Amino acid sequence: MKVCLRGPHIVKPASPTWTGRLSLSEWDQIGTITHIPTIYFYQPTGLPFEAMAVQLKDSLSRALVYFYPIAGRLQWVGGGRLELDCNAFGVHFFEGETEAKFEDLGPDFSPSPEFQHLIPAVDYTKPIQDLPLFVVQLTKFKCGGTSLSLTISHAVVDGPSALHFISEWARLSRGEPLSSPPFLDRKLLRAGEPPTSTPVFNHSEFEHPPLLVGRSDSVEERKKRTTVTMLRLSKSQVEHLKKKANEGRDSSVRPYTRYETVAGHIWRTACKARRHRSDQPTALGVCIDSRKRMQPPLPGHYFGNATLDVIATSHSGELLSRPLQYAASRIREAIDRVDDKYVRSALEHLKNQKDLTKFQDLHALGGTQGPFYGNPNIGVVSWLTLPIYAFDFGWGKEIYMGPGTHDFDGDSLILPDRSGDGSVVVALCLQAEFMEDYKKMFYEDV
């Protein structure tokens, strides 16, 4: 697919905003600190493409008045730490046009190499202070439909914050007033403050995940070619998995959830498809939203990263020789550790580190630093409870929404199917040599 691009157009806040350095919390500065893309496809609207672009840029400019940190730039301040310079330099907006039609992308818009032409690239060879935190690309197709891709820095926001911003931008674009302004004060997570105490817990989630048996590093695994698939589980298949996970469960144990069940199934299938030895240690990364787990809870529209990763661990032989309930129980054990004391202890652990680099997931840049959740590990992020659908910018709701480029081994998402019927979609990236076996094994016994 060839896309002719115009831009970037620089979109700045519509009126003056606060300027200065904003401290980031430790959650902002670890894990994935690169940009995360999502993409939306819209049917022909009847509006001229140029008018759509003007409407989006105008409403985005007004949204940035409230969400002004997104119009700033990051700055390294030593020790792998970052600050946010709220300087109103603006975000980048591209307009594209292609001769391709929606049908060229397949019946279900599954992520493919073609998406790279629809999603604006971020040039990480440039100094970080030169990189916009938010990049938009609106692309017109020959069939009259459009795609809207949004790429946002994970060092500034997590999923709930990003979706809050996009939702309010869409409201302004429709001509409606702002619904809920963001809560911008990150001092609730002690942003910029020094350590005050010794961590209470042993935070194994900050150690590097297991390596393949016999390996001393993950360098070779990081180099291997990956591919992406979208796997759908119907409501009845999800219920079947939940029934299996809860068979023989002690009545004192609450039923395993949809996430715990499906994530356990993803993990077990990965071990089987990768043909692990039975003594192979393996970890599953779980992303936890701490907003409601803290005391007192964070404001609902806390704007920043309030999510943290924890890990469930086991051996491949244990996961495959024991029923699905065992995998679900290992995942629950990791999730249930996260409460107010745990979150504050983890913050102290990070504040006591001289350098955060080893906690930053930069393998997207071809580096070898940071945790690697590829073979023999996997990360399973849940979008099941996030409001990811029905973004109407004034010309109707999207016909498809999904992750953009998604090419890191072991990276997976569980999304609710847009039908709302209880079925789910698993977006999975795996080394190409294992994918066909994975797809076959995923549906065995489901």
Side-chain angles (χ1 to χ4, degrees):
M1 179 193 302
K2 183 179 180 182
V3 177
C4 295
L5 279 182
R6 297 188 299 276
H9 307 285
I10 311 300
V11 180
K12 298 186 177 185
S15 57
T17 56
W18 179 84
T19 58
R21 291 292 183 96
L22 183 68
S23 294
L24 299 178
S25 80
E26 272 61 33
W27 296 145
D28 296 313
Q29 301 175 73
I30 65 166
T32 302
I33 61 170
T34 50
H35 291 64
I36 303 297
T38 51
I39 190 165
Y40 302 77
F41 290 89
Y42 293 88
Q43 291 282 27
T45 65
L47 282 174
F49 179 75
E50 293 75 13
M52 293 173 66
V54 168
Q55 184 174 332
L56 281 176
K57 285 184 282 190
D58 175 70
S59 54
L60 177 56
S61 179
R62 288 182 282 122
L64 291 174
V65 174
Y66 304 97
F67 294 86
Y68 61 81
I70 292 177
R73 297 292 185 269
L74 292 170
Q75 300 275 351
W76 291 112
V77 291
R81 285 177 159 82
L82 293 160
E83 280 186 346
L84 181 55
D85 186 4
C86 295
N87 51 25
F89 279 11
V91 304
H92 287 188
F93 192 107
F94 291 87
E95 297 168 36
E97 190 166 351
T98 178
E99 290 295 304
K101 302 176 182 177
F102 279 177
E103 61 194 53
D104 298 327
L105 296 174
D108 56 1
F109 294 99
S110 292
S112 74
E114 298 292 352
F115 276 29
Q116 67 181 326
H117 304 291
L118 303 174
I119 296 170
V122 179
D123 184 359
Y124 293 110
T125 64
K126 292 183 177 179
I128 199 166
Q129 64 268 22
D130 293 341
L131 300 179
L133 302 177
F134 186 56
V135 189
V136 180
Q137 182 176 324
L138 180 70
T139 305
K140 178 184 178 182
F141 284 71
K142 190 173 183 180
C143 59
T146 52
S147 66
L148 178 66
S149 60
L150 312 173
T151 301
I152 193 164
S153 172
H154 209 319
V156 181
V157 294
D158 59 10
S161 290
L163 289 165
H164 176 211
F165 165 60
I166 297 166
S167 174
E168 295 294 350
W169 173 24
R171 287 180 61 88
L172 294 174
S173 184
R174 294 195 302 269
E176 299 174 16
L178 196 80
S179 172
S180 304
F183 186 89
L184 299 175
D185 186 357
R186 304 190 186 206
K187 287 188 173 63
L188 292 181
L189 291 178
R190 298 190 51 243
E193 296 179 14
T196 59
S197 62
T198 302
V200 175
F201 296 93
N202 175 28
H203 292 280
S204 59
E205 69 269 25
F206 297 125
E207 298 171 5
H208 278 248
L211 300 168
L212 284 171
V213 172
R215 299 280 181 85
S216 59
D217 58 48
S218 59
V219 173
E220 290 305 312
E221 294 305 303
R222 293 175 189 253
K223 294 177 182 177
K224 292 185 177 179
R225 186 172 68 87
T226 59
T227 187
V228 175
T229 192
M230 303 286 276
L231 302 167
R232 188 177 187 275
L233 289 171
S234 67
K235 180 180 180 180
S236 62
Q237 288 173 320
V238 172
E239 291 302 319
H240 176 70
L241 285 173
K242 287 180 67 176
K243 183 178 178 181
K244 285 179 64 176
N246 285 291
E247 278 176 349
R249 170 182 51 83
D250 189 309
S251 59
S252 65
V253 177
R254 69 184 188 278
Y256 290 106
T257 65
R258 182 170 53 163
Y259 171 78
E260 292 163 341
T261 299
V262 175
H265 180 61
I266 293 169
W267 193 12
R268 296 173 84 240
T269 306
C271 295
K272 186 188 288 189
R274 287 165 164 169
R275 300 184 286 276
H276 285 167
R277 292 169 36 166
S278 61
D279 62 345
Q280 174 63 59
T282 177
L284 181 141
V286 186
C287 185
I288 308 290
D289 186 352
S290 69
R291 286 169 172 80
K292 294 181 180 179
R293 291 173 179 258
M294 299 189 70
Q295 297 298 327
L298 294 178
H301 291 303
Y302 174 86
F303 193 68
N305 282 278
T307 53
L308 65 153
D309 293 333
V310 295
I311 59 170
T313 58
S314 187
H315 288 81
S316 293
E318 280 186 300
L319 289 169
L320 295 178
S321 64
R322 301 177 71 169
L324 177 59
Q325 182 180 115
Y326 172 73
S329 72
R330 297 297 295 161
I331 295 168
R332 171 169 294 176
E333 184 179 319
I335 294 171
D336 283 353
R337 286 199 298 267
V338 182
D339 58 12
D340 181 76
K341 287 183 179 179
Y342 192 90
V343 172
R344 296 185 189 282
S345 173
L347 286 170
E348 289 303 320
H349 176 85
L350 292 168
K351 284 180 177 295
N352 278 285
Q353 305 297 315
K354 290 184 178 179
D355 195 311
L356 293 182
T357 304
K358 66 179 180 179
F359 306 111
Q360 294 165 345
D361 184 358
L362 292 172
H363 72 266
L365 317 186
T368 57
Q369 299 263 5
F372 177 66
Y373 278 95
N375 195 14
N377 312 299
I378 197 158
V380 185
V381 175
S382 173
W383 285 7
L384 291 172
T385 59
L386 295 178
I388 61 174
Y389 297 121
F391 283 114
D392 178 1
F393 288 87
W395 42 81
K397 299 173 183 177
E398 77 281 353
I399 56 170
Y400 172 87
M401 175 274 173
T405 48
H406 184 63
D407 54 2
F408 312 139
D409 181 29
D411 195 5
S412 71
L413 293 168
I414 308 177
L415 302 86
D417 187 83
R418 67 173 298 107
S419 66
D421 64 356
S423 56
V424 303
V425 176
V426 176
L428 171 74
C429 180
L430 214 62
Q431 290 173 9
E433 63 180 297
F434 303 130
M435 185 59 88
E436 289 308 311
D437 283 345
Y438 190 99
K439 289 192 286 189
K440 180 179 70 173
M441 296 172 179
F442 185 78
Y443 288 107
E444 290 175 354
D445 303 321
V446 172

